[in-house]
């Protein structure tokens, strides 16, 4: 059974703080993703990575950065948190089995971040 | 750029009534379409994909390229179907595309 875990379920930070959200998957997946989920806006892709040390910008990368030093771990970094980054953050992973095939994304439980 | 539209934020139906969750997309090429579901206090998970052409939990969805739609249907709604449903698109680039574009979601509420 695929397991994607996120370091915190709830997090409260102050404006200007540096925030780290950690995601770990235990299925040796190549691809990892960070989304934010907001009511009325759905899921929006922030960054994704298809290999160690590789990263690609998603649709809303501004204000965020990522790090993937090990295959199983993908970190989302808010360099200077702002109130408009209050949201639910979802991590996902998938394997890369065949260039032309899509493989299901497995999601973590989410981290609800509040920036005061 | 591709776009996925789910016109209904909230859909309420009575138990036993038919359900149709609408999804329209815009994409110039040949996409792959998916439905993801999130039950209360559970993780987002894949419900079905159009290439599988299967029924999951009584739900089906047909890709209509002419109308650029991928509506999710179930003939008789059950209370346990109450959840948030997201339609998603993967652009088929042929070069290995792993990104999904999600719609804004429809919250389905099944009234007992």
């Amino acid at each position: 059974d695929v397991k994607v875990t996120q370091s915190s379920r709830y997090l409260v930070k102050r404006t200007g703080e540096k925030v780290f959200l950690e995601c770990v998957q235990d299925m040796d997946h190549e691809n990892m993703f960070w989304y934010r989920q907001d009511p009325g806006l759905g899921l929006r892709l922030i960054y994704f990575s298809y290999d160690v040390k590789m990263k690609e910008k998603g649709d809303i990368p501004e204000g965020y950065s990522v790090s993937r030093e090990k295959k199983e771990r993908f970190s989302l970094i808010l360099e200077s948190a702002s109130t408009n980054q209050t949201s639910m953050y979802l991590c996902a992973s998938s394997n890369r089995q065949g260039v032309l095939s899509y493989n299901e994304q497995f999601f973590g439980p989410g981290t609800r971040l509040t920036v005061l | 750029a591709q776009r996925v539209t789910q016109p209904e934020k909230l859909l309420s139906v009575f138990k036993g009534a038919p359900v149709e969750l609408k999804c329209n997309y815009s994409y110039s090429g040949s996409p792959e379409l998916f439905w993801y579901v999130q039950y209360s206090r559970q993780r987002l998970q894949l419900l079905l994909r159009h290439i599988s052409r299967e029924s999951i939990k009584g739900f089906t969805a047909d890709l209509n390229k002419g109308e650029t739609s991928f509506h999710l249907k179930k003939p008789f709604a059950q209370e346990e179907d109450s959840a948030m449903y997201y339609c998603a698109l993967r652009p088929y680039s042929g070069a290995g595309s792993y990104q999904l574009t999600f719609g804004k979601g429809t919250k389905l509420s099944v009234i007992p």
Side-chain angles (χ1 to χ4, degrees), chain A residues 3-5 31 33 35 37 40-43 45 48 50 57-59 90 96 99-105 107-109, chain B residues 9 32 34 36 38 41-46 49 84 86 90 92-105:
Chain A
K3 197 72 179 297
V4 180
T5 57
N31 306 324
F33 308 83
Y35 296 90
Q37 183 182 31
L41 296 179
L43 271 77
L45 182 65
F48 68 101
Y50 51 87
K57 292 180 180 179
D59 299 317
L90 300 183
R96 191 172 67 231
V99 171
L100 300 181
S101 69
Y102 168 79
N103 293 290
E104 177 182 352
Q105 290 189 21
F107 284 82
Chain B
K9 282 187 179 179
E32 288 189 72
F34 309 86
Y36 274 78
Q38 189 169 30
R41 299 192 192 88
Q42 292 189 29
R43 301 171 185 227
L44 192 64
Q45 59 186 291
L46 178 67
R49 64 186 80 179
M84 194 73 174
Y86 292 96
R90 173 198 172 216
Y92 184 74
S93 67
S97 173
Y98 314 109
Q99 290 175 266
L100 293 177
T101 296
F102 285 86
K104 295 182 179 181

Side-chain angles (χ1 to χ4, degrees), chain B residues 1-60:
Chain B
Q2 60 273 11
R3 189 166 62 200
V4 176
T5 302
Q6 293 179 250
E8 302 135 332
K9 282 187 179 179
L10 175 65
L11 182 65
S12 296
V13 301
F14 284 101
K15 178 182 173 181
V19 176
E20 182 177 69
L21 297 164
K22 292 184 167 52
C23 172
N24 291 90
Y25 67 90
S26 64
Y27 177 61
S28 56
S30 232
E32 288 189 72
L33 274 296
F34 309 86
W35 278 98
Y36 274 78
V37 61
Q38 189 169 30
Y39 301 102
S40 180
R41 299 192 192 88
Q42 292 189 29
R43 301 171 185 227
L44 192 64
Q45 59 186 291
L46 178 67
L47 180 61
L48 54 79
R49 64 186 80 179
H50 89 270
I51 58 172
S52 300
R53 302 185 68 81
E54 57 191 346
S55 173
I56 304 290
K57 299 185 178 184
F59 284 98
T60 59

Side-chain angles (χ1 to χ4, degrees), chain A residues 49-113:
Chain A
S49 168
Y50 51 87
D51 206 346
V52 176
K53 296 193 186 294
M54 304 297 287
K55 60 183 179 184
E56 294 281 345
K57 292 180 180 179
D59 299 317
I60 52 163
E62 296 79 19
Y64 303 94
S65 61
V66 290
S67 172
R68 188 141 182 229
E69 296 296 318
K70 293 185 177 181
K71 191 175 185 180
E72 67 272 17
R73 189 180 297 270
F74 192 35
S75 302
L76 179 69
I77 304 153
L78 286 66
E79 294 289 341
S80 178
S82 62
T83 54
N84 62 14
Q85 292 179 310
T86 291
S87 186
M88 173 69 86
Y89 289 87
L90 300 183
C91 176
S93 73
S94 68
N95 62 14
R96 191 172 67 231
Q97 202 169 37
V99 171
L100 300 181
S101 69
Y102 168 79
N103 293 290
E104 177 182 352
Q105 290 189 21
F106 293 89
F107 284 82
T111 296
R112 184 166 293 283
L113 172 67

